[in-house]
Amino acid sequence: MQEFTQTEALDLVGRFEAGQELPEKMRADVRLLGALLGRVLQESGSPGLYEDVERLRTATIHAYTDETAEAFARAARIADGFTIARADEVARAFTCYFHLVNLAEEHQRVRTLREREGRPGSQDATDSIAAAFSRLADEVGHDTALARLQGLRFHPVFTAHPTEARRRAVSSSIRRLSELLDEYDASERAGTAQRRAERRMLEEIDVLWRTAPLRAEKPSPTDEVRAVMAVFDETLYTAVPHVYRRVDDALQEEGRGARPPLVRPFVRVGSWVGGDRDGNPFVTATVTRKAAAIASDHVLRGLERTALRIGRGLTLDAASTPPSRALVSLWQRLRAADEEAAAEIAQRSPDEQHRRILLLLARKIAATRTRDADLAYRDPEHLRDDLRIVQDSLASAGAARQAYGHLQQLLWQVETYGFHLAELEVRQHSAVHAAVLAELDAGTSSERAEEVLEVFRAIAFIQERFGPRAAGRYIVSFTQSADDLAAVHRLARYAVGEDGTPPVLDVIPLFETFADLRAAPGILAEIVDHPDFAARLDATGRRLEVMLGYSDSSKDVGPVAANLALYEAQAEIAAWAQRVGIELTLFHGRGGALGRGGGPANSAILAQPPHSVDGRFKLTEQGEVIFARYADPAIAMRHIDQVGAAILLASSPSNEERNRSAAERYADVAATMDTASRERFFSLVKAPGFAPWFARVTPMEEIGALALGSRPARRGLSVESLADLRAIPWVFAWTQARINLAGWFGLGTALDAVGDEERLRAGYREWPLLRTLIDNVAMSLAKADERIARHYLDLGDRDDLADLVMAEMRLTREWTIRVTGGDELLATKPVLQRAVKMRSPYVDALSLLQLRALRALRDADAKAPRDAEHERLLLLSVSGVAAGLQNTG
């Protein structure tokens, strides 16, 4: 079969790009960035690289639009025909392209948000906190709605799960390109500034091309801590108070910025980075101490800079803005503690009392960071109190805008982040606790036991140094009994000895497997009567946190049964908490990928059972999701606003009644789907030889070689058993094979077992849980590809398993389209559909290169030397496919 002529290729690519219904500005960005990448490939790639990339690009676009076996074979033949060195370069080129397309898409999102903010009534977006408050007030009254708003809590917890496939150096390069694209937008059309921005973008894309896409070695836990700190420094530190301000402005209307705020800080940020030791031997007590110290250093530097900036601008003369008595008293205390600096500042600002105080407070914050005991704050509450004295003095002197302007945002930052920035959480497996206690009770102590005890000493140290909020939540993985939770308190007492005081601990059960979810209410009912738990409940006003795992339950029984079991567990736990007077917070262990509970958070929140939210929502944010949601300030603020709105509305009478009545009306549908989907899932994963077959038809084993994160991909067993395979490589491997099985398998059979198409369509409209489940499956299937999936499955020698997977994929696709309406997946979600279609043929190119590498590795003689060239090609393609599909594990 002849390849395309240049004219045919240009026509084919042009028609494909024209068929993508992109916003005009985004289309221009994609063309600009693509053209610049083309220039870089011609200038910096080896001879003929650009032409080879274009050959494969044209062929995969043709195969995507033509859908014939001949077209697909042509594309595969081109990918197979490259030398291994050329295949390596081509994979890198397509990966760079995805980074640029993702950047263009993010840039369009930011552009849209900015345009929306510039329009009148921009705060009235239907999914904003301000709009949610208005709707809630209509249902429950203004005062009740305000009380709920002021009790709102959104608690994202950043984790170090290895799902960010790109290097930090690559992320940094992309961030610089984003800034240059902003400059390009702002410059005059075809003017000097625009040409300069284009030249600098070309330079940066050349850097991106020349930067090794794969990490040379796995990052250490401390590296992971510093990577997450970049998100705080560049975005969250300032974005969160801006969200508070935006909401408060909407509620205050004409009095905005000149009245005490109605909004109370509702974001609390948690972190497992440096604290999660479940299966990660590299996270030690020393690492946990260091993680807390790094975070504290970052936030104290931020607070110091902010206090200095505000102080320098607070040039209010005492004649126009007389200080209050409390402010004068505060000045006297500060001057006595820091005489030399106070004298110098007073000389520079003789009649500017408020300015003088802020500058001295900045020095006290700096002393807190450097551990200067004579000057340092003991805790963030003392800083907060000092700032409120300044605020009250300004307000009483008539300077309300200075009182409730930038100074209020500093107060919000102190209240949100304290001196610790993120609340560090520790996680450990229940089996480790049991084994260590058995040793200690027998009078022995191994190295592992001593390390476990040292963790409790580290928590005590962190609480003493950075405040009680800095650490104290202790998550017990695979909680299967009340004894698993009581063990934590026993170990804490062992750690400090008979005469010591153990750290203050909130022990959080993590229910992960299908069986554990069902047993959860009974375990909770037993543990709350345990003396240690009862004492802590009394101390916290009967507050209790319970964590639910999405990923292991999905791997355990399949995505459909897992989602239904999670809903039922939440409903039962919430009902139990209501009965016994406990303020419950459910902690959702959601991954970024759809097979691990991913998908839009706001729609998931609104689908929760009655009383399972009650104004509080906590979830894990993992890997690439952290950077997708929080790396850009505008996107981070929009995400927090949307999630906050959903949390507020989830407990509205109308939403709770909708979820309650729908669950009752469709209980028989849920039961049928549960049974049918589990049986179908088990027919696959419990088939003899499934585990080694899975390892052969996907790059599961090779993913372990990627330097993604510090945590091992498996808990120690071989692929002869899936029991100890982590959910991340389980999902990641299916995603790479373009099958995405972890996100959808069993739904087709479940819907077919119900059979009543009209009832299922009604359920999709009326039952939020079903709608969320089906919408997530539609996205998962849209990113899958039957033709490519079949080639991966052909790597194995089990036609029975391959046919089972393909049959279920077709059945699920068919039923998803029938229930959602339209004639193809995502027909009712054009923006998502566009994003998937725009990328698909380019992802296909990388998949073909990955298939080539996998075939070579699978066909190699087991006794032959390691095929390093094909391994590298495989890992390059894994990174590229992850960038193209925009989710990994």
Side-chain angles (χ1 to χ4, degrees):
M1 185 185 297
Q2 294 295 315
E3 292 189 22
F4 298 100
T5 66
Q6 184 176 12
T7 301
E8 290 172 332
L10 289 172
D11 180 62
L12 181 64
V13 172
R15 281 188 284 112
F16 172 75
E17 291 180 344
Q20 308 307 305
E21 298 177 2
L22 303 178
E24 192 51 46
K25 290 183 178 178
M26 180 180 169
R27 187 189 301 278
D29 288 343
V30 172
R31 285 176 175 167
L32 170 66
L33 294 170
L36 294 177
L37 176 61
R39 283 184 61 183
V40 166
L41 296 181
Q42 290 172 309
E43 293 173 0
S44 301
S46 62
L49 172 62
Y50 174 77
E51 290 74 18
D52 281 345
V53 168
E54 286 299 294
R55 286 170 59 216
L56 184 56
R57 180 167 83 116
T58 303
T60 52
I61 288 174
H62 182 239
Y64 182 75
T65 54
D66 186 278
E67 296 187 355
T68 62
E70 292 81 4
F72 187 84
R74 177 191 302 200
R77 192 162 50 251
I78 292 173
D80 290 343
F82 294 139
T83 64
I84 192 68
R86 173 65 89 213
D88 185 308
E89 281 190 297
V90 171
R92 289 181 60 187
F94 275 97
T95 302
C96 282
Y97 176 76
F98 281 129
H99 290 319
L100 298 178
V101 169
N102 293 344
L103 168 60
E105 194 168 68
E106 178 183 286
H107 193 68
Q108 178 62 26
R109 288 179 64 195
V110 173
R111 181 187 286 128
T112 301
L113 290 173
R114 288 172 178 165
E115 290 173 354
R116 181 185 298 160
E117 287 176 2
R119 294 195 296 266
S122 61
Q123 286 297 318
D124 297 330
T126 56
D127 54 355
S128 69
I129 292 176
F133 174 82
S134 179
R135 288 176 55 190
L136 186 62
D138 289 342
E139 289 194 44
V140 301
H142 180 275
D143 291 348
T144 301
L146 183 59
R148 292 191 182 183
L149 173 63
Q150 291 179 336
L152 184 70
R153 182 59 52 88
F154 172 43
H155 195 152
V157 179
F158 291 179
T159 79
H161 284 301
T163 59
E164 173 62 73
R166 67 189 182 193
R167 291 181 59 202
R168 187 177 174 188
V170 172
S171 298
S172 298
S173 181
I174 293 167
R175 183 55 50 208
R176 292 192 295 270
L177 274 168
S178 177
E179 294 168 359
L180 290 170
L181 202 52
D182 273 338
E183 288 183 24
Y184 186 87
D185 270 358
S187 57
E188 293 182 15
R189 189 173 186 83
T192 303
Q194 193 171 75
R195 288 195 297 273
R196 183 175 65 248
E198 184 174 323
R199 174 185 57 75
R200 291 175 63 200
M201 280 193 283
L202 191 62
E203 179 183 349
E204 193 60 57
I205 292 172
D206 192 56
V207 170
L208 181 65
W209 164 250
R210 293 173 183 274
T211 299
L214 301 176
R215 297 182 181 96
E217 56 186 28
K218 284 180 177 288
S220 71
T222 305
D223 293 333
E224 293 170 332
V225 171
R226 296 192 186 281
V228 171
M229 285 302 107
V231 176
F232 287 113
D233 292 347
E234 296 168 12
T235 304
L236 283 181
Y237 177 74
T238 53
V240 169
H242 281 317
V243 174
Y244 301 155
R245 174 66 69 195
R246 184 182 291 178
V247 177
D248 199 69
D249 282 353
L251 298 182
Q252 297 269 22
E253 297 180 344
E254 293 303 317
R256 58 185 180 270
R259 294 177 183 167
L262 293 174
V263 171
R264 294 175 185 167
F266 58 81
V267 175
R268 290 293 181 270
V269 180
S271 177
W272 282 9
V273 188
D276 182 10
R277 61 234 320 117
D278 178 13
N280 191 343
F282 306 111
V283 177
T284 63
T286 300
V287 166
T288 300
R289 284 191 178 92
K290 188 177 291 186
I294 290 170
S296 177
D297 181 76
H298 277 253
V299 74
L300 286 169
R301 287 179 186 275
L303 294 173
E304 179 189 355
R305 285 194 300 269
T306 306
L308 274 173
R309 177 175 52 79
I310 295 172
R312 286 167 178 161
L314 207 60
T315 54
L316 312 180
D317 187 80
S320 66
T321 318
S324 67
R325 288 184 179 179
L327 192 85
V328 173
S329 177
L330 175 59
W331 165 254
Q332 291 169 348
R333 293 199 307 273
L334 293 174
R335 183 177 59 186
D338 196 5
E339 290 184 357
E340 187 174 331
E344 182 184 340
I345 289 171
Q347 186 176 7
R348 295 202 314 264
S349 309
D351 295 309
E352 299 166 349
Q353 283 89 337
H354 298 90
R355 183 176 192 266
R356 296 188 309 191
I357 295 250
L358 258 296
L359 295 176
L360 281 181
L361 295 187
R363 284 181 53 80
K364 281 180 69 67
I365 297 169
T368 307
R369 178 174 57 81
T370 59
R371 307 299 296 163
D372 180 350
D374 292 337
L375 197 57
Y377 276 110
R378 186 166 72 248
D379 53 51
E381 286 71 30
H382 281 79
L383 171 58
R384 178 200 63 196
D385 293 344
D386 285 351
L387 291 171
R388 284 182 177 165
I389 289 173
V390 179
Q391 186 177 60
D392 291 344
S393 177
L394 288 166
S396 64
R401 296 204 175 276
Q402 283 69 43
Y404 304 115
H406 290 301
L407 183 60
Q408 179 59 51
Q409 292 188 224
L410 174 57
L411 265 163
W412 276 330
Q413 287 166 322
V414 173
E415 292 170 326
T416 299
Y417 298 121
F419 290 165
H420 58 278
L421 186 57
E423 299 175 14
L424 188 61
E425 301 186 353
V426 169
R427 183 172 71 137
Q428 183 56 279
H429 200 289
S430 60
V432 173
H433 295 151
V436 170
L437 277 173
E439 283 185 39
L440 297 171
D441 289 344
T444 62
S445 181
S446 64
E447 185 177 334
R448 178 176 69 168
E450 184 55 35
E451 172 60 31
V452 167
L453 296 180
E454 189 59 30
V455 171
F456 293 96
R457 299 174 193 130
I459 294 172
F461 167 81
I462 291 167
Q463 290 181 350
E464 174 65 25
R465 181 163 177 177
F466 305 115
R469 277 178 53 198
R473 286 184 173 87
Y474 197 110
I475 295 115
V476 181
S477 296
F478 284 91
T479 298
Q480 297 181 320
S481 70
D483 287 342
D484 289 338
L485 302 174
V488 176
H489 291 288
R490 287 188 61 200
L491 287 166
R493 284 193 292 274
Y494 263 118
V496 299
E498 293 182 4
D499 299 328
T501 302
V504 177
L505 294 174
D506 289 306
V507 181
I508 300 170
L510 170 50
F511 301 110
E512 299 180 83
T513 68
F514 183 70
D516 294 343
L517 287 169
R518 290 194 160 182
I523 295 172
L524 292 171
E526 182 181 349
I527 194 61
V528 293
D529 291 329
H530 186 278
D532 289 316
F533 256 78
R536 185 60 184 152
L537 283 174
D538 290 342
T540 61
R542 294 186 67 76
R543 292 176 184 159
L544 179 67
E545 206 168 287
V546 176
M547 186 172 183
L548 304 171
Y550 284 65
S551 49
D552 281 285
S553 56
S554 181
K555 184 166 68 76
D556 196 24
V557 293
V560 179
N563 271 276
L564 295 171
L566 281 158
Y567 185 92
E568 184 178 345
Q570 289 177 72
E572 291 185 9
I573 293 169
W576 165 79
Q578 285 280 107
R579 287 195 305 272
V580 299
I582 281 176
E583 183 182 297
L584 174 71
T585 297
L586 287 174
F587 181 7
H588 301 262
R590 294 163 60 89
L594 299 170
R596 305 189 60 238
N602 50 332
S603 60
I605 293 167
L606 291 170
Q608 301 304 303
H611 298 297
S612 64
V613 177
D614 276 350
R616 301 173 295 278
F617 191 74
K618 183 177 179 182
L619 80 165
T620 51
E621 299 279 34
Q622 302 178 355
E624 80 282 357
V625 172
I626 294 174
F627 295 94
R629 290 178 176 168
Y630 300 102
D632 182 273
I635 291 173
M637 287 189 284
R638 175 65 174 148
H639 172 68
I640 294 168
D641 200 17
Q642 283 183 308
V643 171
I647 297 169
L648 204 57
L649 287 178
S651 303
S652 66
S654 59
N655 192 72
E656 289 202 334
E657 177 55 31
R658 181 181 65 163
N659 289 341
R660 180 186 295 108
S661 60
E664 292 171 356
R665 286 198 311 278
Y666 293 99
D668 58 325
V669 173
T672 300
M673 291 176 64
D674 173 58
T675 301
S677 68
R678 256 189 299 140
E679 289 177 355
R680 185 67 159 172
F681 187 74
F682 290 160
S683 71
L684 177 68
V685 301
K686 292 184 181 294
F690 170 77
W693 174 81
F694 162 63
R696 183 171 178 81
V697 301
T698 70
M700 190 275 287
E701 281 288 350
E702 289 77 11
I703 286 169
L706 265 177
L708 293 176
S710 67
R711 190 178 180 196
R714 293 200 299 275
R715 291 185 173 96
L717 300 182
S718 73
V719 293
E720 293 303 316
S721 170
L722 291 181
D724 213 45
L725 176 68
R726 293 194 179 280
I728 292 167
W730 164 257
V731 174
F732 201 167
W734 285 121
T735 303
Q736 287 288 318
R738 305 294 298 284
I739 298 171
N740 285 350
L741 180 143
W744 56 261
F745 192 89
L747 179 64
T749 292
L751 297 176
D752 197 55
V754 175
D756 187 337
E757 185 173 332
E758 287 306 312
R759 189 155 188 237
L760 287 170
R761 284 183 176 178
Y764 180 73
R765 291 192 304 271
E766 301 168 2
W767 184 15
L769 177 65
L770 182 65
R771 186 180 190 90
T772 300
L773 174 61
I774 290 178
D775 283 350
N776 285 343
V777 164
M779 171 59 82
S780 188
L781 281 173
K783 292 184 177 183
D785 187 285
E786 281 192 42
R787 300 162 308 157
I788 290 175
R790 186 79 234 189
H791 283 269
Y792 278 91
L793 296 174
D794 286 345
L795 293 170
D797 55 0
R798 294 289 299 276
D799 289 344
D800 58 330
L801 298 181
D803 291 344
L804 176 59
V805 170
M806 297 306 295
E808 185 64 23
M809 181 187 282
R810 286 189 287 269
L811 184 63
T812 304
R813 186 183 298 272
E814 175 193 337
W815 269 105
T816 299
I817 292 171
R818 288 167 66 181
V819 171
T820 58
D823 55 3
E824 60 181 336
L825 292 168
L826 301 177
T828 60
K829 298 183 181 299
V831 175
L832 290 176
Q833 187 185 65
R834 178 189 73 206
V836 173
K837 286 186 173 181
M838 179 175 67
R839 288 173 170 79
S840 288
Y842 300 94
V843 180
D844 293 350
L846 284 161
S847 292
L848 290 173
L849 293 170
Q850 186 177 113
L851 275 165
R852 168 187 171 170
L854 264 182
R855 280 194 297 266
L857 292 170
R858 297 293 181 265
D859 294 342
D861 187 336
K863 297 180 181 179
R866 187 171 63 91
D867 186 345
E869 289 184 326
H870 280 99
E871 281 186 354
R872 175 175 168 78
L873 175 59
L874 179 71
L875 297 181
L876 285 169
S877 67
V878 164
S879 179
V881 170
L885 296 178
Q886 290 189 296
N887 62 353
T888 49

